Amino acid sequence: MILLSAELRHQLLSNGRARDVDHVPVVKFFNPIGEGVWLATELDDDGDTLFGLADLGEPELGSFSLAEMVAVRLPFGLGIERDILFEGLFPISVWAETAHRTGSIHEAERLLHAVRQAQREAPSTRE
């Protein structure tokens, strides 16, 4: 699988040029057979350095390399994959706070999706 489509790359680069903004994650990468989840919000002009939330056992905001993720070779011919169904839904600061509170990006994702679902189901106060 190609980790970044042209559209995702364009959005990440655009976000990378707008620093000091609390961007919504554009893409989620994951290790299909073990630990490792990355939420990327920005891509530097070098085309390699991503910024976002990484969880290799403990969630942490920072930079990580696209080339290094592409180079990972896992058993059974697998590699790091992109979650094609991922929706960022909330700014990266909310993801980071929730992941730190719950202990992982996976748990944060469950909680944030439940919050979003509750928001959708709440009766509207507008008439």
Side-chain angles (χ1 to χ4, degrees), residues 27-123:
V27 63
K28 174 185 170 187
F29 304 108
F30 66 96
N31 176 341
I33 61 171
E35 275 192 285
V37 179
W38 300 261
L39 302 180
T41 59
E42 303 166 27
L43 177 63
D44 286 351
D45 285 330
D46 66 8
D48 179 54
T49 307
L50 293 157
F51 178 81
L53 185 64
D55 186 350
L56 298 170
E58 185 173 324
E60 183 179 341
L61 279 171
S63 296
F64 42 95
S65 168
L66 178 61
E68 287 180 14
M69 286 196 301
V70 169
V72 170
R73 294 293 170 246
L74 301 168
F76 313 112
L78 297 173
I80 301 303
E81 296 186 15
R82 174 172 41 97
D83 182 344
I84 61 172
L85 300 177
F86 176 73
E87 295 179 272
L89 302 178
F90 296 92
I92 196 67
S93 64
V94 174
W95 279 95
E97 179 183 333
T98 307
H100 283 111
R101 194 165 19 97
T102 62
S104 73
I105 290 176
H106 286 301
E107 290 302 316
E109 189 168 25
R110 285 187 192 105
L111 181 61
L112 292 174
H113 277 279
V115 167
R116 179 59 66 159
Q117 188 62 32
Q119 289 173 341
R120 289 181 181 150
E121 293 173 358

